[in-house]
Amino acid sequence: AVMVCLMDVSGSMTEAMKDLAKRFFLLLHVFLTRRYKQVDIVFIRHTSNAQEVDEDTFFHSRETGGTIVSTALEEMLRVVRERYSPDNWNIYAAQASDGDNYTEDSDRCSQLLGGEILPLAQYFAYIEVGAEATLRHGFPSPPTDLWRTYSQIAEQHRNFAMRKVADQTQIFPVFHELFAKQREHA
C-alpha cells in the first residue's frame, strides 16, 4: 500500500492550522508504520505549487505563498502514475487544508479528485483545519470553496470522507472516525 499525504502550507494557513495538520499527519504516520510492514508514505506540500518532499521537510520546512490546491492533486497523480500502478498497489491519501483555494481552481480540483484520483484510490480522507470549524461573531462561518467543491464529490464517492478540526483535542477523534472503517476493511 501507499499513503499519499497532502498538506497545504500556503500563507492562509496560520501556524496554529499548520500545527493541527502536522498533528494529524504525525498520528497517521505512527499508525501506518506500526500497523503495516510494507507501506510507502509519500509527502506532498503545496502553496500555489506542489512538491514531493522528504519526511523532515514535510513536517519542519517553513514556506508560504498563495493557494492552488489542484497542484497537489496533480503532483499526487504524477507520483502514482510513475511509481504506484493501481494494478499492484492499494492507494490511499489524506489531505489537510484550511479550505482556502483560488476560486477558479475549484473545477480543476473536482475533475482531478472525482474523475481521476478517486477511481484509482481505495480511500481518500480530507480534513479541514481552523477557522471554518469555529464561530465568527457568534455565527458559523460559511463553507470554504474547497469544502463546497469536495462536498459535491463526497456525495458521489464512497471512498472519500471529509471532516473538520478546530483544535488539537479533535485530532484523535477525527482520525479514529476517518480510519476506523478502513481498519475494518484492511
Side-chain angles (χ1 to χ4, degrees):
V2 58
M3 172 60 78
V4 181
C5 300
L6 307 141
M7 183 167 52
D8 180 352
V9 293
S10 65
S12 64
M13 289 279 287
T14 65
E15 286 307 313
M17 291 174 180
K18 289 177 186 175
D19 181 64
L20 290 174
K22 288 175 186 178
R23 287 173 187 267
F24 176 81
F25 284 119
L26 283 169
L27 185 59
L28 179 60
H29 187 264
V30 169
F31 170 76
L32 292 170
T33 55
R34 288 189 179 167
R35 186 155 176 83
Y36 300 102
K37 290 180 183 177
Q38 298 290 342
V39 64
D40 281 8
I41 303 174
V42 174
F43 298 101
I44 297 172
R45 294 167 54 97
H46 76 90
T47 57
S48 57
N49 295 305
Q51 181 179 17
E52 181 181 3
V53 297
D54 61 31
E55 179 182 339
D56 186 60
T57 303
F58 185 81
F59 286 108
H60 302 293
S61 179
R62 296 193 180 271
E63 293 177 33
T64 189
T67 312
I68 301 179
V69 174
S70 65
T71 62
L73 300 174
E74 288 167 348
E75 181 68 2
M76 176 184 171
L77 273 174
R78 182 194 67 77
V79 168
V80 166
R81 287 178 177 146
E82 285 182 7
R83 301 194 309 256
Y84 301 105
S85 168
D87 294 335
N88 302 318
W89 290 85
N90 289 323
I91 301 165
Y92 299 89
Q95 179 182 13
S97 174
D98 63 353
D100 188 34
N101 191 24
Y102 181 61
T103 303
E104 286 75 22
D105 191 47
S106 295
D107 287 343
R108 181 70 178 139
C109 289
S110 182
Q111 175 192 22
L112 287 166
L113 184 60
E116 297 187 52
I117 293 173
L118 290 174
L120 300 175
Q122 275 65 35
Y123 188 64
F124 193 111
Y126 170 69
I127 65 161
E128 191 160 293
V129 296
E132 167 57 25
T134 62
L135 295 177
R136 291 186 185 159
H137 307 293
F139 298 98
S141 55
T144 64
D145 286 341
L146 199 56
W147 189 267
R148 283 192 303 274
T149 299
Y150 281 6
S151 292
Q152 294 172 356
I153 294 168
E155 293 173 5
Q156 301 168 6
H157 294 273
R158 291 182 162 211
N159 60 334
F160 180 69
M162 45 195 288
R163 300 291 183 276
K164 296 178 184 178
V165 175
D167 63 62
Q168 65 185 19
T169 64
Q170 296 174 337
I171 295 290
F172 184 77
V174 165
F175 177 85
H176 186 268
E177 191 176 319
L178 286 170
F179 290 100
K181 288 182 183 178
Q182 291 308 305
R183 286 194 315 238
E184 292 170 12
H185 294 299

